[in-house]
Amino acid sequence: MSYSTFGAATILFAFLVFQSSSANINGGFSVKLIHRDSPSSPFYKTHPKSLNKVFRRSMRQTFYPNSAQSQITADNGHYLFKLSIGNPPLDVYGIADTGSDLIWTQCAPCPGCYKQINPLFDPTKSSTYKDLSCYAQECQTIGTITCSLRHACNYTYAYGSAAVTQGVLSKETITITSTSGNATSLENIVFGCGHNNTGTFNENEMGIIGLGGGDLSLVSQLSPLVGGKKFSFCLVPFHTDPSIESKISFGEGSEVSGDGVVSTPLVTKEDKTPYFVTLKGISVGNKFVPFNSSGEVSKGNMFMDTGTPPTLIPQDFYDRLVAEVRSQIPMTPIGDDPSLGTQLCYKSKTNLQGPILTVHFEGADVKLTPIQTFVPPKDEVFCFAMQTVPWDVGIYGGFAQSNFLIGYDLETMVAFFKPTDCTKHQ
C-alpha cells in the first residue's frame, strides 16, 4: 500500500489487545484477522462492499505455549487488525499492510478525518499515551516531520494511492493475549496518532497497521520480543465463508517448512519497507510470458503487498500476459459493460475453468489457480485479477497471495511459499 492501494472493499480483522502488563513474549505469537462480516466482527452484516470498488479504487502449525493467535478470513482483498489501544483500551481496526511501515489510527481531535463508525482514539483519556519528542531517534526515522511548539514530533506519511495521514508520532503500551491465555505486555510501541487523514478509506477502517521491513513497522518493533524478525500468514480467498478463519504469526513458530515449500530471495534496496522479489515471468499453461520482452530480468522488479488486492504489472507485460490468457479460455470476454472498464472479464455463474498460471520468481515457481487469478466484481461476472501500473516495478497483490502460507525471514532475507488451504489453516 505504500505504492498503490485499491481501497478497502476487503476487510479482515486481526486481534491484538493493548493494555498494561509486565509479561514478556517467549516463542512468538499469532494474531487473528477477522472478516468484517464474521459473527466475531463488530461490523457483522453491515456495510457490504462490491469487489468492483476494489478495482476502481484500487505459523507454523506446531503448538507454541506462549504464542498468541489471530484469525484470517476474506472479504474482497484487504485484511484488518483489531487493536485495543490505550488504557483504558479502545478497539481499533486497521488495514494489515506489508507495503508500508507506520502503525497509525485516527485520533481526536480530528479536524481532517474521514468518517468512521467507531469512536476515535482520544489520547487525553489514556494513561499510557506519550508524545514523542521531535528530537527522538524514532522521529528522525519517519521521514517528513516538523517540530511543534511543544517539541512534539509531527509527521506526514503518504501512500502511493494518494492517501495521507498527518499527526503526532507517539508511544503506547499494548498487551497481546497468547494461545495459552497469558497476557503479554508490549510497552512503548511507536504509532501515529493521526489528526488529519485522507484517502479512499471506508468507514470501518480506522487506520493502517504497517507490516513492512522498516524500523517502525509492527514486525520490526516486535522482533526483539518474539525471537526474531520474521512472520508468516495464510490469506483465505476473498469469497470464503466469513466464519472460516486462519492466522498470522510473528517470531518464533512462524517459520514455513514441510513438503511443497519454495523460496525466493528478498532483494535489498535502499528503501527497506517493501518486500522486493525478482519475477522472471509468468507461464499461462505451458506458454511462458517473460516479464520483459527482451528477456532481461531486473533484480527486485516486484514487491509483495497485502494492502493491494490485485497484482499490478507494467503495461507491456500485462498486454502480452492478457493476450495469452484470453487465447487459452474458450469463452468470449464481456465487452459492453462500462462499469468493468478495460478489465478482461467473462460472464459465468461459477469461476472459470481457466489455465494454471505459474509465477516464476527467482528460485521459486508458484502455481495460481483461477480462484487466485479471477475474481467476481459482481454476480456471475469473473475478471482477471491483474491490472497495469505506469512504472517498471510491479506489485504482487493479495488475491495472488491467497491460499498460500507465506513467510518472511528478514534475518536471512528469504520469502517462502507453501500451497495451503488457508480455510483449514488454524
Side-chain angles (χ1 to χ4, degrees):
M1 183 174 283
S2 59
Y3 286 72
S4 178
T5 181
F6 287 80
T10 301
I11 303 178
L12 302 170
F13 303 111
F15 284 86
L16 300 179
V17 182
F18 284 71
Q19 294 175 341
S20 295
S21 176
S22 59
N24 194 10
I25 295 180
N26 294 305
F29 71 91
S30 305
V31 288
K32 298 178 180 179
L33 295 177
I34 305 297
H35 188 314
R36 178 195 61 209
D37 294 332
S38 166
S40 312
S41 166
F43 307 122
Y44 179 50
K45 297 298 185 183
T46 64
H47 305 281
K49 302 288 182 179
S50 76
L51 177 61
N52 205 32
K53 293 184 179 179
V54 176
F55 283 105
R56 290 201 304 267
R57 296 192 299 166
S58 334
M59 322 180 166
R60 178 89 167 179
Q61 299 179 34
T62 303
F63 176 70
Y64 284 80
N66 292 315
S67 294
Q69 293 187 348
S70 199
Q71 296 171 340
I72 298 176
T73 57
D75 183 20
N76 297 344
H78 279 155
Y79 303 87
L80 291 186
F81 269 91
K82 178 190 176 185
L83 308 173
S84 298
I85 184 168
N87 187 19
L90 177 75
D91 288 348
V92 170
Y93 298 84
I95 298 170
D97 183 23
T98 59
S100 66
D101 289 331
L102 184 65
I103 307 163
W104 65 270
T105 188
Q106 298 204 110
C107 289
C110 206
C113 278
Y114 57 86
K115 181 182 178 182
Q116 68 178 51
I117 294 176
N118 281 9
L120 299 173
F121 174 65
D122 187 344
T124 65
K125 296 180 179 178
S126 173
S127 64
T128 50
Y129 175 89
K130 293 176 288 188
D131 286 347
L132 269 176
S133 164
C134 56
Y135 306 111
Q137 180 180 357
E138 296 93 339
C139 185
Q140 309 309 313
T141 303
I142 195 64
T144 305
I145 58 99
T146 59
C147 205
S148 74
L149 295 176
R150 298 184 297 107
H151 302 290
C153 179
N154 289 346
Y155 73 86
T156 298
Y157 197 87
Y159 298 82
S161 62
V164 177
T165 175
Q166 295 178 307
V168 180
L169 203 63
S170 314
K171 287 187 175 182
E172 264 289 6
T173 300
I174 71 174
T175 297
I176 298 174
T177 303
S178 72
T179 52
S180 60
N182 296 325
T184 303
S185 174
L186 301 172
E187 298 181 352
N188 296 319
I189 297 297
V190 178
F191 81 106
C193 207
H195 297 289
N196 289 277
N197 315 296
T198 58
T200 53
F201 299 96
N202 69 39
E203 58 192 3
N204 298 325
E205 299 165 346
M206 302 166 69
I208 293 177
I209 309 302
L211 299 171
D215 294 338
L216 293 185
S217 76
L218 184 63
V219 177
S220 296
Q221 293 194 65
L222 294 182
S223 62
L225 305 171
V226 299
K229 197 172 181 180
K230 50 193 173 183
F231 69 108
S232 63
F233 53 83
C234 201
L235 305 180
V236 296
F238 76 95
H239 49 52
T240 302
D241 185 326
S243 65
I244 298 175
E245 302 164 337
S246 188
K247 63 186 177 183
I248 181 169
S249 303
F250 296 83
E252 182 181 347
S254 67
E255 298 87 352
V256 177
S257 61
D259 294 339
V261 175
V262 295
S263 63
T264 188
L266 292 171
V267 178
T268 301
K269 296 191 178 184
E270 184 177 354
D271 186 355
K272 296 189 296 183
T273 299
Y275 298 123
F276 288 104
V277 292
T278 301
L279 177 63
K280 298 178 180 180
I282 298 176
S283 290
V284 183
N286 295 323
K287 177 68 174 181
F288 177 68
V289 181
F291 187 90
N292 291 320
S293 298
S294 65
E296 296 181 1
V297 178
S298 299
K299 295 286 187 179
N301 58 5
M302 295 281 288
F303 70 88
M304 311 278 289
D305 187 5
T306 59
T308 300
T311 290
L312 308 179
I313 54 179
Q315 185 72 55
D316 175 65
F317 182 33
Y318 175 85
D319 290 342
R320 289 182 286 111
L321 184 65
V322 165
E324 188 59 40
V325 171
R326 183 187 293 114
S327 72
Q328 294 193 31
I329 296 177
M331 298 172 63
T332 301
I334 297 173
D336 57 354
D337 190 336
S339 69
L340 299 175
T342 60
Q343 300 171 70
L344 175 63
C345 301
Y346 295 89
K347 186 76 171 178
S348 179
K349 292 184 178 180
T350 60
N351 208 332
L352 308 179
Q353 299 297 313
I356 299 295
L357 269 61
T358 304
V359 180
H360 300 285
F361 293 115
E362 180 181 355
D365 288 346
V366 176
K367 294 186 180 297
L368 304 181
T369 64
I371 196 173
Q372 295 141 329
T373 56
F374 279 87
V375 291
K378 55 185 181 179
D379 290 344
E380 298 186 7
V381 172
F382 287 83
C383 296
F384 191 49
M386 297 189 187
Q387 295 183 337
T388 64
V389 287
W391 50 77
D392 294 332
V393 175
I395 300 174
Y396 197 69
F399 292 139
Q401 295 182 52
S402 67
N403 269 359
F404 282 90
L405 180 58
I406 297 177
Y408 294 92
D409 188 327
L410 304 185
E411 296 163 358
T412 61
M413 292 298 289
V414 176
F416 300 87
F417 301 81
K418 182 177 182 178
T420 304
D421 183 349
C422 292
T423 65
K424 299 177 180 177
H425 182 71
Q426 303 297 323

